[in-house]
Amino acid sequence: MKDSIWPVTLIVLGLTWLLYSLDWLPDVHWLWILGLAGAGVAILVLDGVTKSSIVAGPMLILAGLLSFFRLYHGLSWRFIIPIMLIAAGTFMLAARSPSIPESRNLKRRFERGPEEDQHD
């Protein structure tokens, strides 16, 4: 069941986005902002600090924060894109640190061996 949390999250986010695009939901911009930031926090909480989560989690949180500033304070794309690029590069450099462990799921897969991996 734990392995199905991300597909279910994607389905819920996609369905919410579709219903919003069809104007079947009230005008709630904060839902998108909280969804991005919440997904980033969820990655960090569920996977811990690993080489992949140290990039993906903060990037989603930053995307939610920048979306807030775009929607409510008029932040332009000419600032958002460079900020995201700088942040992505910074997080990728941080992920190279030997003190940050590899992904737990990836490590478990390699420890089990290929014959056990086929049962997933």
Side-chain angles (χ1 to χ4, degrees):
M1 184 67 178
K2 184 180 177 183
D3 292 337
S4 65
I5 196 163
W6 292 117
V8 170
T9 302
L10 290 174
I11 291 168
V12 169
L13 284 175
L15 183 61
T16 304
W17 190 352
L18 177 64
L19 293 175
Y20 176 75
S21 297
L22 293 170
D23 292 328
W24 291 358
L25 289 178
D27 192 22
V28 286
H29 294 291
W30 55 265
L31 185 64
W32 174 251
I33 294 166
L34 291 177
L36 285 170
V41 170
I43 287 173
L44 290 172
V45 168
L46 293 175
D47 200 26
V49 176
T50 63
K51 291 194 182 291
S52 60
S53 70
I54 199 71
V55 176
M59 285 300 292
L60 286 170
I61 294 168
L62 180 62
L65 184 65
L66 292 174
S67 291
F68 170 79
F69 283 111
R70 174 152 174 73
L71 291 171
Y72 293 104
H73 298 290
L75 185 65
S76 171
W77 285 107
R78 67 186 190 141
F79 295 110
I80 293 174
I81 300 299
I83 290 170
M84 293 293 286
L85 291 172
I86 292 166
T90 303
F91 297 139
M92 287 178 182
L93 281 176
R96 291 175 166 251
S97 171
S99 63
I100 297 176
E102 293 288 335
S103 176
R104 293 179 188 158
N105 294 333
L106 185 63
K107 188 175 181 182
R108 260 188 258 140
R109 273 224 167 112
F110 284 119
E111 288 174 354
R112 287 191 311 211
E115 60 279 345
E116 294 177 30
D117 197 31
Q118 292 175 356
H119 298 291
D120 284 347

